[in-house]
Amino acid sequence: MIFETHAHYDDEKFKEDREQLVSSLPEQNIKRVINVGADFAGCVDSVALAEKYDYIYAAIGIHPSNIEDATEENLAWIKGKASWEKTVAIGEIGLDYYWDKEPTVQQAQREMFCRQLALAKEMSLPVIIHSRDATEDTMNIMQQAHKDGIPGVIHCYSYSKEMAKEYVKMGYYIGVGGVVTFKNAKKLKETVAEIGLPHIVLETDCPYMAPEPHRGTRNDSRNLIYVVKTIAELTGTTPEEVEAVTWENAKKLFQKVR
Protein backbone atom coordinates (compact mmCIF):
# COMPACT_ATOMS: atom_id res chain seq x y z
CA MET A 1 0.00 0.00 0.00
CA ILE A 2 1.23 3.48 -0.87
CA PHE A 3 0.92 6.52 1.41
CA GLU A 4 1.05 9.74 -0.64
CA THR A 5 2.22 12.44 1.78
CA HIS A 6 2.10 15.52 -0.45
CA ALA A 7 -0.48 16.20 -3.16
CA HIS A 8 -2.29 19.28 -4.44
CA TYR A 9 -5.51 17.89 -5.85
CA ASP A 10 -7.10 21.28 -5.25
CA ASP A 11 -4.96 22.64 -8.12
CA GLU A 12 -6.67 24.03 -11.24
CA LYS A 13 -4.92 21.41 -13.36
CA PHE A 14 -7.30 18.81 -11.89
CA LYS A 15 -10.42 20.87 -12.57
CA GLU A 16 -11.74 18.71 -15.43
CA ASP A 17 -11.36 15.23 -13.89
CA ARG A 18 -10.66 15.72 -10.18
CA GLU A 19 -13.51 13.59 -8.85
CA GLN A 20 -12.93 10.74 -11.29
CA LEU A 21 -9.17 10.67 -10.61
CA VAL A 22 -9.30 11.03 -6.83
CA SER A 23 -12.08 8.43 -6.54
CA SER A 24 -9.94 5.92 -8.43
CA LEU A 25 -6.85 6.19 -6.22
CA PRO A 26 -7.62 3.43 -3.67
CA GLU A 27 -8.04 0.84 -6.42
CA GLN A 28 -4.62 1.95 -7.74
CA ASN A 29 -3.03 1.02 -4.37
CA ILE A 30 -2.93 4.65 -3.16
CA LYS A 31 -4.56 4.07 0.22
CA ARG A 32 -3.81 7.36 2.02
CA VAL A 33 -3.30 10.87 0.66
CA ILE A 34 -2.42 14.12 2.39
CA ASN A 35 -3.63 17.10 0.40
CA VAL A 36 -1.45 20.06 1.26
CA GLY A 37 -2.49 23.70 1.33
CA ALA A 38 -0.08 26.29 -0.05
CA ASP A 39 -2.20 29.42 -0.18
CA PHE A 40 -5.29 30.07 1.92
CA ALA A 41 -7.70 28.87 -0.78
CA GLY A 42 -5.69 25.65 -0.96
CA CYS A 43 -6.09 25.17 2.77
CA VAL A 44 -9.87 25.55 2.51
CA ASP A 45 -9.98 23.16 -0.45
CA SER A 46 -7.74 20.62 1.33
CA VAL A 47 -10.17 20.49 4.23
CA ALA A 48 -13.08 20.09 1.80
CA LEU A 49 -11.35 17.17 0.06
CA ALA A 50 -10.64 15.52 3.42
CA GLU A 51 -14.30 15.92 4.34
CA LYS A 52 -15.39 14.27 1.09
CA TYR A 53 -12.99 11.30 0.91
CA ASP A 54 -12.22 9.12 3.92
CA TYR A 55 -8.68 8.28 2.69
CA ILE A 56 -7.70 11.93 2.16
CA TYR A 57 -6.34 14.06 5.01
CA ALA A 58 -5.50 17.75 5.11
CA ALA A 59 -2.37 19.75 5.83
CA ILE A 60 -2.94 23.48 6.20
CA GLY A 61 -0.43 26.32 6.12
CA ILE A 62 0.82 29.26 4.10
CA HIS A 63 3.66 28.68 1.63
CA PRO A 64 6.50 31.22 1.86
CA SER A 65 5.74 32.59 -1.61
CA ASN A 66 2.14 33.27 -0.57
CA ILE A 67 2.67 35.15 2.69
CA GLU A 68 0.29 37.89 1.52
CA ASP A 69 -2.39 35.29 2.40
CA ALA A 70 -1.21 35.22 6.02
CA THR A 71 -3.75 37.71 7.31
CA GLU A 72 -4.83 37.56 10.94
CA GLU A 73 -8.26 36.34 9.83
CA ASN A 74 -6.81 33.54 7.70
CA LEU A 75 -4.34 32.48 10.38
CA ALA A 76 -7.19 32.33 12.89
CA TRP A 77 -9.10 30.03 10.51
CA ILE A 78 -6.03 27.79 10.15
CA LYS A 79 -5.65 27.60 13.91
CA GLY A 80 -9.33 26.72 14.29
CA LYS A 81 -9.12 23.94 11.70
CA ALA A 82 -5.82 22.60 13.08
CA SER A 83 -7.70 20.79 15.84
CA TRP A 84 -10.01 18.98 13.39
CA GLU A 85 -9.50 15.22 13.44
CA LYS A 86 -8.47 15.03 9.76
CA THR A 87 -6.03 17.95 9.85
CA VAL A 88 -2.77 16.07 10.25
CA ALA A 89 -0.05 18.71 9.73
CA ILE A 90 0.81 22.38 9.41
CA GLY A 91 2.16 22.89 5.91
CA GLU A 92 3.44 23.57 3.57
CA ILE A 93 5.49 26.22 5.33
CA GLY A 94 9.11 27.33 5.10
CA LEU A 95 11.40 29.52 3.02
CA ASP A 96 11.75 30.15 -0.71
CA TYR A 97 14.57 32.47 -1.73
CA TYR A 98 14.54 31.30 -5.36
CA TRP A 99 11.75 33.69 -6.32
CA ASP A 100 12.07 36.21 -3.49
CA LYS A 101 15.47 37.93 -3.34
CA GLU A 102 14.54 41.08 -1.41
CA PRO A 103 15.89 41.05 2.19
CA THR A 104 12.65 42.49 3.59
CA VAL A 105 10.58 39.76 1.90
CA GLN A 106 12.95 37.06 3.12
CA GLN A 107 12.69 38.44 6.65
CA ALA A 108 8.90 38.34 6.39
CA GLN A 109 9.13 34.72 5.24
CA ARG A 110 11.26 33.81 8.25
CA GLU A 111 8.84 35.50 10.63
CA MET A 112 5.82 33.71 9.15
CA PHE A 113 7.71 30.41 9.12
CA CYS A 114 8.48 30.73 12.82
CA ARG A 115 4.93 31.80 13.61
CA GLN A 116 3.48 28.73 11.89
CA LEU A 117 6.02 26.49 13.61
CA ALA A 118 4.80 27.91 16.91
CA LEU A 119 1.24 27.02 15.88
CA ALA A 120 2.33 23.46 15.09
CA LYS A 121 3.90 23.19 18.53
CA GLU A 122 0.78 24.58 20.20
CA MET A 123 -1.49 22.16 18.31
CA SER A 124 0.91 19.17 18.66
CA LEU A 125 1.09 18.70 14.89
CA PRO A 126 4.02 17.85 12.60
CA VAL A 127 5.15 20.24 9.88
CA ILE A 128 5.68 19.92 6.14
CA ILE A 129 8.66 22.07 5.19
CA HIS A 130 9.25 23.78 1.85
CA SER A 131 12.82 25.02 1.41
CA ARG A 132 14.35 26.35 -1.80
CA ASP A 133 17.64 28.22 -2.05
CA ALA A 134 17.47 28.81 1.71
CA THR A 135 19.79 26.13 3.03
CA GLU A 136 21.33 27.84 6.04
CA ASP A 137 18.30 29.77 7.28
CA THR A 138 16.07 26.69 7.04
CA MET A 139 18.54 24.58 8.99
CA ASN A 140 18.92 27.23 11.70
CA ILE A 141 15.17 27.50 12.15
CA MET A 142 14.64 23.74 12.08
CA GLN A 143 17.33 23.22 14.72
CA GLN A 144 15.21 25.36 17.02
CA ALA A 145 12.07 23.50 15.93
CA HIS A 146 13.79 20.25 16.88
CA LYS A 147 14.60 21.67 20.32
CA ASP A 148 10.93 22.60 20.60
CA GLY A 149 9.93 19.00 19.87
CA ILE A 150 8.24 19.68 16.52
CA PRO A 151 8.41 16.68 14.16
CA GLY A 152 8.17 16.96 10.39
CA VAL A 153 9.31 16.25 6.85
CA ILE A 154 11.59 18.21 4.56
CA HIS A 155 9.43 18.15 1.45
CA CYS A 156 10.82 17.79 -2.08
CA TYR A 157 14.33 17.51 -0.69
CA SER A 158 16.96 19.17 -2.91
CA TYR A 159 20.04 19.77 -0.74
CA SER A 160 23.13 17.63 -0.07
CA LYS A 161 23.29 14.18 1.48
CA GLU A 162 25.36 15.68 4.32
CA MET A 163 22.58 18.09 5.20
CA ALA A 164 20.00 15.31 4.90
CA LYS A 165 21.96 13.37 7.50
CA GLU A 166 21.76 16.37 9.84
CA TYR A 167 17.98 16.50 9.43
CA VAL A 168 17.71 12.76 9.98
CA LYS A 169 19.77 13.03 13.19
CA MET A 170 17.11 15.44 14.47
CA GLY A 171 14.37 12.94 13.58
CA TYR A 172 13.09 14.64 10.44
CA TYR A 173 11.93 12.67 7.43
CA ILE A 174 13.00 13.36 3.87
CA GLY A 175 10.24 13.66 1.27
CA VAL A 176 11.13 11.90 -1.99
CA GLY A 177 9.16 12.24 -5.21
CA GLY A 178 9.49 12.13 -8.97
CA VAL A 179 12.81 14.01 -9.13
CA VAL A 180 14.59 10.89 -7.84
CA THR A 181 13.87 9.21 -11.20
CA PHE A 182 15.57 11.95 -13.23
CA LYS A 183 18.92 11.04 -14.76
CA ASN A 184 20.50 14.30 -13.54
CA ALA A 185 19.23 14.00 -9.94
CA LYS A 186 22.63 12.97 -8.60
CA LYS A 187 22.31 14.70 -5.20
CA LEU A 188 18.90 13.23 -4.42
CA LYS A 189 19.93 9.74 -5.52
CA GLU A 190 22.99 9.97 -3.25
CA THR A 191 20.81 11.18 -0.40
CA VAL A 192 18.36 8.29 -0.74
CA ALA A 193 21.17 5.72 -0.86
CA GLU A 194 22.86 7.32 2.15
CA ILE A 195 19.92 7.74 4.54
CA GLY A 196 17.97 4.59 3.65
CA LEU A 197 14.32 3.66 3.97
CA PRO A 198 13.78 4.42 7.70
CA HIS A 199 13.92 8.17 7.00
CA ILE A 200 11.95 8.50 3.74
CA VAL A 201 8.31 9.27 2.98
CA LEU A 202 6.75 9.17 -0.50
CA GLU A 203 5.26 12.23 -2.18
CA THR A 204 4.39 13.56 -5.63
CA ASP A 205 3.84 17.32 -5.20
CA CYS A 206 1.29 16.71 -7.96
CA PRO A 207 0.37 18.15 -10.38
CA TYR A 208 4.08 19.04 -10.50
CA MET A 209 7.30 16.96 -10.64
CA ALA A 210 6.08 13.98 -12.68
CA PRO A 211 8.68 11.17 -12.71
CA GLU A 212 10.28 9.45 -15.67
CA PRO A 213 8.83 8.15 -17.94
CA HIS A 214 6.13 10.86 -17.67
CA ARG A 215 8.36 13.85 -16.96
CA GLY A 216 6.80 17.11 -18.12
CA THR A 217 3.20 15.89 -17.90
CA ARG A 218 0.62 16.44 -15.18
CA ASN A 219 1.60 14.35 -12.19
CA ASP A 220 -0.67 12.38 -9.87
CA SER A 221 -0.30 9.79 -7.12
CA ARG A 222 -0.49 6.82 -9.48
CA ASN A 223 3.02 7.73 -10.67
CA LEU A 224 4.47 6.88 -7.26
CA ILE A 225 5.10 3.36 -8.56
CA TYR A 226 8.07 4.78 -10.50
CA VAL A 227 9.39 6.54 -7.41
CA VAL A 228 9.04 3.33 -5.39
CA LYS A 229 10.94 1.35 -8.03
CA THR A 230 13.82 3.83 -8.11
CA ILE A 231 14.08 4.02 -4.32
CA ALA A 232 14.19 0.22 -4.17
CA GLU A 233 17.07 0.17 -6.66
CA LEU A 234 18.98 2.88 -4.76
CA THR A 235 18.55 1.22 -1.36
CA GLY A 236 19.04 -2.38 -2.43
CA THR A 237 15.53 -3.36 -1.35
CA THR A 238 12.30 -4.35 -3.09
CA PRO A 239 9.32 -2.20 -4.12
CA GLU A 240 7.25 -4.09 -1.54
CA GLU A 241 9.70 -3.13 1.20
CA VAL A 242 9.71 0.49 0.08
CA GLU A 243 5.91 0.65 0.23
CA ALA A 244 5.76 -1.05 3.63
CA VAL A 245 8.49 0.98 5.35
CA THR A 246 7.43 4.36 3.95
CA TRP A 247 3.83 3.57 4.96
CA GLU A 248 4.94 3.01 8.55
CA ASN A 249 7.15 6.11 8.46
CA ALA A 250 4.22 8.24 7.35
CA LYS A 251 1.93 6.76 10.00
CA LYS A 252 4.53 7.55 12.68
CA LEU A 253 4.84 11.12 11.49
CA PHE A 254 1.19 11.90 10.78
CA GLN A 255 -0.25 10.32 13.87
CA LYS A 256 -3.84 11.46 13.33
CA VAL A 257 -4.10 9.36 10.16
CA ARG A 258 -6.19 6.24 10.65
Side-chain angles (χ1 to χ4, degrees):
M1 298 187 297
I2 291 176
F3 193 134
E4 153 77 285
T5 65
H6 198 118
H8 298 287
Y9 284 114
D10 55 290
D11 193 278
E12 275 290 301
K13 289 184 174 66
F14 294 110
K15 184 177 180 181
E16 299 301 321
D17 61 346
R18 181 181 294 112
E19 186 165 349
Q20 179 183 357
L21 172 58
V22 172
S23 297
S24 73
L25 293 177
E27 63 197 45
Q28 306 286 334
N29 202 36
I30 312 298
K31 301 298 188 181
R32 297 290 183 276
V33 176
I34 298 177
N35 204 81
V36 182
D39 56 13
F40 181 67
C43 292
V44 174
D45 290 342
S46 293
V47 168
L49 283 165
E51 288 174 335
K52 184 171 183 178
Y53 299 96
D54 61 358
Y55 48 90
I56 294 185
Y57 292 79
I60 52 177
I62 304 297
H63 185 288
S65 296
N66 296 319
I67 54 173
E68 69 278 0
D69 271 8
T71 64
E72 293 304 319
E73 182 180 4
N74 289 351
L75 291 170
W77 183 93
I78 288 171
K79 182 176 181 179
K81 289 295 182 183
S83 60
W84 182 46
E85 63 181 358
K86 292 194 75 182
T87 298
V88 298
I90 300 298
E92 62 186 282
I93 63 175
L95 302 175
D96 194 317
Y97 296 169
Y98 179 81
W99 297 111
D100 299 306
K101 308 296 186 188
E102 301 85 353
T104 54
V105 175
Q106 293 181 358
Q107 176 62 27
Q109 285 191 9
R110 289 190 292 273
E111 290 171 1
M112 186 48 56
F113 185 14
C114 291
R115 184 168 177 182
Q116 292 184 94
L117 283 167
L119 174 61
K121 181 181 179 183
E122 180 183 349
M123 305 306 294
S124 299
L125 287 175
V127 289
I128 297 172
I129 303 302
H130 173 102
S131 180
R132 191 175 186 193
D133 285 7
T135 314
E136 186 176 348
D137 285 349
T138 304
M139 175 57 78
N140 290 340
I141 290 171
M142 292 310 294
Q143 285 173 335
Q144 183 58 52
H146 168 61
K147 290 175 185 174
D148 290 338
I150 304 168
V153 54
I154 314 302
H155 150 66
C156 200
Y157 188 78
S158 61
Y159 299 136
S160 69
K161 64 181 180 181
E162 290 78 17
M163 181 153 285
K165 287 165 72 175
E166 292 303 308
Y167 280 118
V168 163
K169 280 181 194 173
M170 294 189 289
Y172 292 107
Y173 289 93
I174 302 299
V176 180
V179 173
V180 78
T181 68
F182 298 174
K183 290 182 176 64
N184 62 349
K186 182 181 177 185
K187 282 197 298 183
L188 183 56
K189 291 177 188 289
E190 288 177 348
T191 295
V192 168
E194 182 75 26
I195 66 172
L197 288 185
H199 311 290
I200 290 171
V201 294
L202 301 176
E203 58 178 37
T204 57
D205 203 22
C206 67
Y208 313 105
M209 302 292 190
E212 297 287 359
H214 301 302
R215 187 174 183 179
T217 67
R218 187 188 74 172
N219 197 11
D220 68 61
S221 304
R222 296 172 298 179
N223 284 332
L224 281 170
I225 57 171
Y226 303 106
V227 177
V228 166
K229 181 175 181 290
T230 301
I231 292 174
E233 291 167 356
L234 291 168
T235 56
T237 58
T238 65
E240 292 76 17
E241 281 181 271
V242 174
E243 288 186 23
V245 175
T246 57
W247 176 279
E248 290 305 317
N249 293 345
K251 289 293 291 289
K252 285 176 194 169
L253 179 58
F254 303 107
Q255 294 190 2
K256 289 166 76 174
V257 172
R258 295 288 170 254

